[in-house]
């Protein structure tokens, strides 16, 4: 009997990366399965899904207003068109199951699947679920969540499906930790024998993180560490300008890049990471056992602060509000921490207590059960 699955999600890396992780797992363990992805032309999926060799079907982007606006009047027509596109995709591939990862694409996918009596699996990445997945969970045959604190009924707590490159890094570090660190350090132009602090605000960067870390750059470098600072696209010039206050001979240990496609290389050398606390970042760091300083995004519905809680609660990470992440705070907390090998080792061990490296396979098992794949 042929197998077929439709995966729906997109817009941001937070939705696309776990979707691709599951798609890769389906392809690996069910080579005969037909895999299609429902996405928009505007989101990251428009590039990333075809790059990974998966079939991408487009649906119109339908933002769901959180409060009454003039958009409400155009919503029914746009949603109807999106549901039709989703229905056409489900029928064309004769999907056994629809798996939604949230975002604009998932709402029409859930509505179409319900109408066609196709079973639904919901995967919620964040501690606080979004509108689409709250809706889909009402009709789902199964719900998988990243965090135990996520309030969705009858949820299986699986953890977040991890990108294949992260799963490979976990296995490689377990087998040859020193060799993996050395190889990654050489590729990045770093010394594997010295501590490395990785700073990242994600692909778009984080102005507060960039500003504060450059303010303490001289103090950090005086301890003998190396810094790999990923500024975000279009934000490196300001960081480089701000670093001119650091003596030129010291700046050679402060490495500035806008973006790193191979984030697994940064993780392979990181002794400590300063970053936002999107679900993907938190789960990857926990699974890899990397200590962190989380500076949650100060906008949205507060999910980033909740995402960080599992690592913070076991003392494998520090957390500070964006507005409180100042030069003084970083001087007091980060500068001494990054050279405290014993404490970082303890934090790394604690991170692994909450990490879920098998999350992708656990989500796949739920899908297999719902789809009735033997």
């Amino acid at each position: 009997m042929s197998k077929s699955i439709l995966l729906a999600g997109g817009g941001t890396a937070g939705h696309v990366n776990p979707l691709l992780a599951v798609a890769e797992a389906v392809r690996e363990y069910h080579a005969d399965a037909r895999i299609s992805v429902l996405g928009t032309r505007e989101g990251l999926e428009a590039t990333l899904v075809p790059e990974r060799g998966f079939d991408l079907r487009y649906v119109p982007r339908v933002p769901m207003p959180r409060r009454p606006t003039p958009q409400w009047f155009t919503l029914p027509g746009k949603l109807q068109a999106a549901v039709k596109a989703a229905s056409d995709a489900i029928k064309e591939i004769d999907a056994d199951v629809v798996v939604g990862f949230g975002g604009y694409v998932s709402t029409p996918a859930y509505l179409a699947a319900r109408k066609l009596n196709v079973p639904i699996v919901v995967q919620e990445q964040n501690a606080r679920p979004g509108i689409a997945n709250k809706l889909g969970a009402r009709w789902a045959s199964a719900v998988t969540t990243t965090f135990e604190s996520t309030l969705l009924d009858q949820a299986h707590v699986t953890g977040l499906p991890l990108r294949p490159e992260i799963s490979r890094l976990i296995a490689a570090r377990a087998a040859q930790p020193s060799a993996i660190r050395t190889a990654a350090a050489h590729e990045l132009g770093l010394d594997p024998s010295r501590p490395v602090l990785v700073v990242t605000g994600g692909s778009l960067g984080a102005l507060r993180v960039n500003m504060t870390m450059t303010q303490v750059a001289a103090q950090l470098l005086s301890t003998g560490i190396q810094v790999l600072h990923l500024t975000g696209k279009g934000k490196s010039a300001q960081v480089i300008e701000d670093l001119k206050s650091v003596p030129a001979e010291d700046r050679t240990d402060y490495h500035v890049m806008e973006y790193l496609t191979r984030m697994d290389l940064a993780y392979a050398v990181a002794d400590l990471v300063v970053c936002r606390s999107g679900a993907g970042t938190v789960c990857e760091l926990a699974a890899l056992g990397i200590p962190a300083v989380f500076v949650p995004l100060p906008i949205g519905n507060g999910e980033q602060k909740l995402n960080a809680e599992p690592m913070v609660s076991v003392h494998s990470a520090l957390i500070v509000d964006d507005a409180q992440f100042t030069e003084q705070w970083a001087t007091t907390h980060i500068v001494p921490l990054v050279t405290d090998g014993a404490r970082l080792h303890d934090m790394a061990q604690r991170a692994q207590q909450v990490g879920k490296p098998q999350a992708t396979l656990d989500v796949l098992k739920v899908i297999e059960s719902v789809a009735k794949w033997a």
Side-chain angles (χ1 to χ4, degrees):
M1 178 177 131
S2 62
K3 301 169 185 173
S4 180
I5 182 172
L6 183 70
L7 306 168
T12 67
H15 296 311
V16 178
N17 284 334
L19 182 153
L20 286 171
V22 172
E24 296 272 11
V26 172
R27 183 159 60 185
E28 180 179 354
Y29 290 93
H30 300 278
D32 59 332
R34 185 171 183 181
I35 306 168
S36 285
V37 177
L38 210 59
T40 68
R41 296 182 186 276
E42 299 85 5
L44 279 179
E45 67 275 15
T47 302
L48 296 181
V49 170
E51 280 182 356
R52 296 292 182 98
F54 295 108
D55 173 47
L56 179 61
R57 310 297 179 95
Y58 295 109
V59 294
R61 183 174 178 270
V62 187
M64 303 292 285
R66 291 181 179 271
R67 57 188 62 85
T69 70
Q71 284 184 301
W72 275 106
F73 298 105
T74 64
L75 183 61
K78 289 181 179 179
L79 187 58
Q80 186 175 19
V83 172
K84 183 182 185 305
S87 297
D88 290 344
I90 292 171
K91 288 187 283 191
E92 185 173 341
I93 69 169
D94 192 21
D96 301 317
V97 61
V98 169
V99 184
F101 294 80
Y104 299 137
V105 178
S106 293
T107 299
Y110 296 145
L111 290 168
R114 182 175 185 241
K115 182 178 179 181
L116 295 171
N117 292 315
V118 175
I120 295 167
V121 174
V122 169
Q123 206 294 313
E124 174 55 55
Q125 297 88 53
N126 289 298
R128 182 169 286 162
I131 294 173
N133 279 352
K134 283 182 180 178
L135 180 69
R138 293 183 184 178
W139 312 316
S141 299
V143 176
T144 67
T145 63
T146 299
F147 301 107
E148 291 184 12
S149 60
T150 304
L151 298 178
L152 288 174
D153 290 339
Q154 299 179 325
H156 303 263
V157 182
T158 57
L160 185 75
L162 299 174
R163 293 179 285 172
E165 54 267 36
I166 302 302
S167 296
R168 288 193 291 269
L169 177 59
I170 292 169
R173 281 174 46 144
Q176 296 179 301
S178 180
I180 294 302
R181 179 185 176 90
T182 298
H186 287 162
E187 192 154 346
L188 293 169
L190 300 169
D191 181 349
S193 68
R194 293 165 56 204
V196 177
L197 171 65
V198 173
V199 179
T200 175
S203 60
L204 298 178
L207 289 176
R208 172 77 68 175
V209 172
N210 287 348
M211 179 181 69
T212 296
M213 294 310 295
T214 54
Q215 287 172 341
V216 296
Q219 297 175 69
L220 287 167
L221 295 172
S222 70
T223 67
I225 72 158
Q226 304 162 97
V227 179
L228 176 61
H229 189 150
L230 308 177
T231 67
K233 292 181 179 177
K235 295 183 173 67
S236 62
Q238 185 61 56
V239 168
I240 292 170
E241 179 66 26
D242 292 343
L243 286 171
K244 287 182 178 178
S245 61
V246 178
E249 62 271 20
D250 294 335
R251 287 204 303 270
T252 57
D253 284 328
Y254 202 108
H255 302 256
V256 177
M257 299 174 65
E258 288 202 346
Y259 186 70
L260 184 61
T261 304
R262 292 281 312 280
M263 196 63 194
D264 55 305
L265 293 175
Y267 286 154
V269 299
D271 295 286
L272 178 68
V273 177
V274 177
C275 56
R276 295 298 197 197
S277 49
T281 300
V282 172
C283 293
E284 288 175 356
L285 291 172
L288 287 160
I290 300 175
V293 174
F294 291 125
V295 188
L297 190 70
I299 59 175
N301 62 4
E303 72 272 10
Q304 285 212 353
K305 195 167 187 177
L306 294 174
N307 292 345
E309 181 55 30
M311 283 188 68
V312 174
S313 66
V314 297
H315 306 293
S316 64
L318 306 181
I319 189 168
V320 55
D321 288 343
D322 188 84
Q324 303 302 315
F325 188 52
T326 61
E327 179 180 0
Q328 181 179 352
W329 192 95
T331 299
T332 303
H333 295 87
I334 298 177
V335 173
L337 175 60
V338 78
T339 55
D340 190 341
R343 186 180 175 196
L344 288 174
H345 177 74
D346 180 64
M347 291 174 73
Q349 297 293 111
R350 291 172 180 272
Q352 291 181 318
Q353 294 175 15
V354 293
K356 293 183 169 61
Q358 296 299 313
T360 308
L361 294 182
D362 288 343
V363 171
L364 179 60
K365 288 175 185 175
V366 172
I367 293 169
E368 290 169 338
S369 175
V370 169
K372 294 181 169 56
W373 292 350

